[in-house]
Amino acid sequence: MKQILFSGMIGLVLTLLGTPALIKVLARHGYGQYIRDDGPKAHHSKKGTPTMGGIAFILATLIAYFATKAITGETPTASGLLVLFLTAGLGLVGFLDDYIKVVKRRSLGLRAKAKLLGQSFVALAFAVLAMQFSDSRGLTPASDHLSFVQDFKWAIGPVLFVIWAYFLIAAMSNGVNLTDGLDGLATGASVMVFGAYTFIGLWEHGQNCAYAIKATASCYDVRDPLDLAVVAAALMGSCFGFLWWNTSPAKIFMGDTGSLALGGALAGLAIVSRTELLLAVLGGLFVIITLSVIIQVGSFRMTGKRVFKMAPLQHHFELKGWSEVLIVVRFWIIQGLCVAVGLGLFYAGWVTG
């Protein structure tokens, strides 16, 4: 429990106090947000707001994790390090994308192929490495079983697992990226899901098969559940501190640097905690917003008509006249309900297991 408190508090303090310094550095170099002409007109007032703010909570998370290990004398685990690798790796891809946008003034950033290549390399490296590093019980950070609240009994094999992990990482990183369209929306929603994974890691640690006198269907065969809670707490605290500066009116945007990193962190936590399909419920807002884009594109291509005034979904409500703060708060409520339902399903799985 001390590790979780330390990591969460260190991450919170670092972003709360350190983000203003990053804002000044970015503003001094003119690294401001580039606003596309085809977006909502209300967003034009945000032009020039410092972006690439994801640097703040990525660094804060890494520092919080390793500082916690140094303070408590605990050793980093393979599971925790892999989630951090995925977070930082996708954050780097996002940083390159943001850098091209703000320096070269090219609104689309990295070329689609280059961006996909970078995301693929990081995601596939994570998936392959997650099947290595067995502990004394033979458990690896990830398994070749699909999972909901824990692994299903049947395996899909290592090759299909790598493909599945890649899909999950790509879907969630792009889902958070699509959600990051209004001040504080993606940050606040992510805080809730990281809070859920802090609880899940703690619960899996307490009910781990390694400590059970007799293994039952209800215990969890997860390699490093406590360390996953430490990582999730560091992410939650870092995002919470960043939200102070990112909420409306935002003083800084996370950019692709932050959104790709957060999506990767969520997918990584789901994979190594054996809650892959549950992530679709816990991160329900990201799924809904992604679906709105798929529906919009699919409808236009098949019928020539649009379902929404604009996609992603948050922009549809902007064009209907809802204020930005109203949309964000209501979407946060939806995300909170998704987390509540997800945790309820997680607990029900343990009770009925």
Side-chain angles (χ1 to χ4, degrees):
M1 181 63 81
K2 287 192 300 183
Q3 291 189 72
I4 293 171
L5 292 175
F6 278 132
S7 64
M9 287 304 300
I10 293 172
L12 173 65
V13 171
L14 285 175
T15 50
L16 195 59
L17 300 181
T19 302
L22 178 62
I23 293 173
K24 291 179 180 178
V25 171
L26 294 173
R28 188 182 306 125
H29 288 84
Y31 294 164
Q33 180 69 31
Y34 186 92
I35 303 298
R36 294 174 61 179
D37 293 333
D38 57 351
K41 293 182 179 179
H43 287 203
H44 290 181
S45 62
K46 300 180 181 184
K47 185 176 181 179
T49 301
T51 188
M52 297 192 285
I55 295 171
F57 56 74
I58 293 172
L59 290 178
T61 297
L62 294 173
I63 293 171
Y65 177 80
F66 289 108
T68 295
K69 295 301 177 182
I71 293 170
T72 61
E74 299 291 336
T75 303
T77 67
S79 299
L81 291 175
L82 281 169
V83 174
L84 293 175
F85 161 75
L86 182 59
T87 303
L90 290 179
L92 178 60
V93 175
F95 171 79
L96 294 174
D97 190 41
D98 286 332
Y99 187 79
I100 291 173
K101 288 178 185 176
V102 300
V103 174
K104 296 190 175 182
R105 302 295 176 184
R106 195 171 75 202
S107 63
L108 296 179
L110 277 175
R111 301 296 182 190
K113 289 183 179 180
K115 190 173 182 179
L116 179 61
L117 182 63
Q119 289 178 290
S120 299
F121 174 79
V122 176
L124 293 175
F126 167 85
V128 172
L129 291 172
M131 295 295 291
Q132 315 303 318
F133 308 108
S134 300
D135 65 4
S136 58
R137 295 180 294 151
L139 286 178
T140 54
S143 75
D144 62 350
H145 294 69
L146 293 178
S147 60
F148 184 55
V149 295
Q150 51 184 308
D151 280 345
F152 295 122
K153 293 182 179 179
W154 37 270
I156 60 175
V159 174
L160 286 179
F161 164 75
V162 169
I163 296 172
W164 162 244
Y166 169 77
F167 168 78
L168 190 63
I169 294 165
M172 190 51 60
S173 59
N174 288 306
V176 177
N177 184 250
L178 291 171
T179 304
D180 182 37
L182 300 181
D183 295 354
L185 179 58
T187 309
S190 297
V191 166
M192 298 182 205
V193 189
F194 289 133
Y197 271 110
T198 301
F199 171 81
I200 288 172
L202 269 174
W203 187 267
E204 289 181 339
H205 175 69
Q207 311 297 328
N208 200 276
C209 296
Y211 312 129
I213 297 176
K214 182 180 180 181
T216 66
S218 296
C219 69
Y220 299 95
D221 261 327
V222 177
R223 191 187 188 284
D224 308 297
L226 182 59
D227 210 38
L228 297 180
V230 174
V231 172
L235 285 160
M236 178 179 65
S238 298
C239 288
F240 221 149
F242 181 76
L243 184 60
W244 182 271
W245 306 103
N246 182 232
T247 194
S248 183
K251 300 294 188 295
I252 187 171
F253 300 136
M254 69 168 70
D256 283 12
T257 306
S259 60
L260 295 186
L262 292 182
L266 291 171
L269 287 169
I271 291 169
V272 295
S273 66
R274 312 293 203 269
T275 56
E276 296 155 6
L277 296 176
L278 184 64
L279 180 59
V281 182
L282 291 171
L285 180 64
F286 305 124
V287 175
I288 291 169
I289 288 177
T290 302
L291 286 175
S292 73
V293 175
I294 295 172
I295 291 170
Q296 184 84 325
V297 173
S299 175
F300 186 76
R301 287 183 176 177
M302 289 188 293
T303 68
K305 297 180 180 180
R306 293 178 172 86
V307 177
F308 307 106
K309 290 179 178 295
M310 183 178 286
L313 188 61
Q314 62 270 28
H315 298 321
H316 167 78
F317 290 105
E318 276 191 289
L319 295 182
K320 285 178 66 69
W322 289 23
S323 70
E324 182 170 6
V325 173
L326 179 63
I327 298 169
V328 170
V329 171
R330 287 183 173 174
F331 276 36
W332 279 351
I333 292 171
I334 293 171
Q335 178 55 49
L337 291 173
C338 291
V339 166
V341 171
L343 289 177
L345 291 171
F346 178 77
Y347 181 72
W350 178 76
V351 171
T352 58

